């Protein structure tokens, strides 16, 4: 994954297993903090992150037309911010990537998965507050 340095703007490649770590910019050596916002994932990025992340991964299956998904978006973002360094949050657009939704039996959205070590440890459809999302991630090892 490519992340931009907040200090100098340089683009830095960060391996999936280090998304929850504090790194250093290759150009100016400033700190690159852990990812603290949801990452839009296509199937390739989904596989890479869920398979290699050393922390639990929350996956939000959503679509732009879905009202409850839009209501849940701030909760998902807050969970990503609150759990930075302890978990990674992905967002999968079910309209753009229906194969991922089908693979996990997503029939209604929003739908949340918590994965650890590439395995699903929890799945639940419907709106969920950030406190419960964070609790699930903590239970999964965050």
């Amino acid at each position: 994954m490519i992340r931009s340095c907040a200090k100098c703007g340089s683009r830095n490649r960060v391996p999936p297993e280090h998304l929850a770590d504090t790194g250093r910019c290759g150009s100016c050596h400033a700190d690159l903090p852990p990812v603290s916002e949801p990452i839009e994932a296509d199937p390739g990025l989904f596989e890479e992150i869920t398979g290699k992340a050393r922390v639990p991964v929350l996956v939000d299956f959503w679509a732009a037309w879905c009202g409850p998904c839009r209501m849940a978006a701030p909760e998902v973002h807050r969970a990503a911010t609150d759990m930075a360094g302890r978990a990674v949050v992905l967002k999968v657009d079910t309209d753009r990537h229906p194969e991922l939704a089908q693979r996990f039996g997503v029939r209604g959205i929003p739908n949340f998965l918590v994965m650890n070590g590439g395995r699903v440890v929890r799945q639940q459809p419907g709106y969920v507050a950030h406190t419960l999302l964070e609790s699930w991630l903590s239970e999964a090892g965050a």
Side-chain angles (χ1 to χ4, degrees):
M1 183 172 171
I2 304 296
R3 299 195 55 215
S4 294
C5 175
K7 185 174 179 185
C8 72
S10 292
R11 294 168 48 94
N12 294 269
R13 185 177 310 274
V14 180
E17 57 270 23
H18 294 294
L19 290 173
D21 299 337
T22 298
R24 295 229 181 266
C25 173
S27 295
C28 72
H29 306 290
D31 282 348
L32 288 176
V35 172
S36 62
E37 58 189 28
I39 300 166
E40 293 287 336
D42 61 20
L45 189 58
F46 178 92
E47 291 300 327
E48 195 173 358
I49 292 174
T50 59
K52 294 181 180 177
R54 296 185 305 195
V55 295
V57 178
L58 171 68
V59 183
D60 172 18
F61 288 95
W62 70 285
W65 52 263
C66 169
C69 297
R70 288 193 305 271
M71 287 175 42
E75 299 296 317
V76 172
H77 194 278
R78 180 153 179 204
T81 301
D82 292 351
M83 299 301 287
R86 296 180 289 156
V88 174
V89 177
L90 302 181
K91 291 184 69 74
V92 175
D93 184 335
T94 58
D95 286 341
R96 292 175 64 198
H97 308 294
E99 65 280 12
L100 282 174
Q102 183 178 16
R103 176 175 154 195
F104 292 99
V106 173
R107 289 193 168 82
I109 53 175
N111 194 300
F112 299 98
L113 292 179
V114 175
M115 300 182 74
N116 199 354
R119 295 176 322 143
V120 176
V121 295
R122 178 180 292 273
Q123 182 169 5
Q124 180 171 321
Y127 174 88
V128 176
H130 71 93
T131 52
L132 188 54
L133 296 172
E134 292 170 22
S135 173
W136 294 344
L137 289 166
S138 294
E139 289 170 8

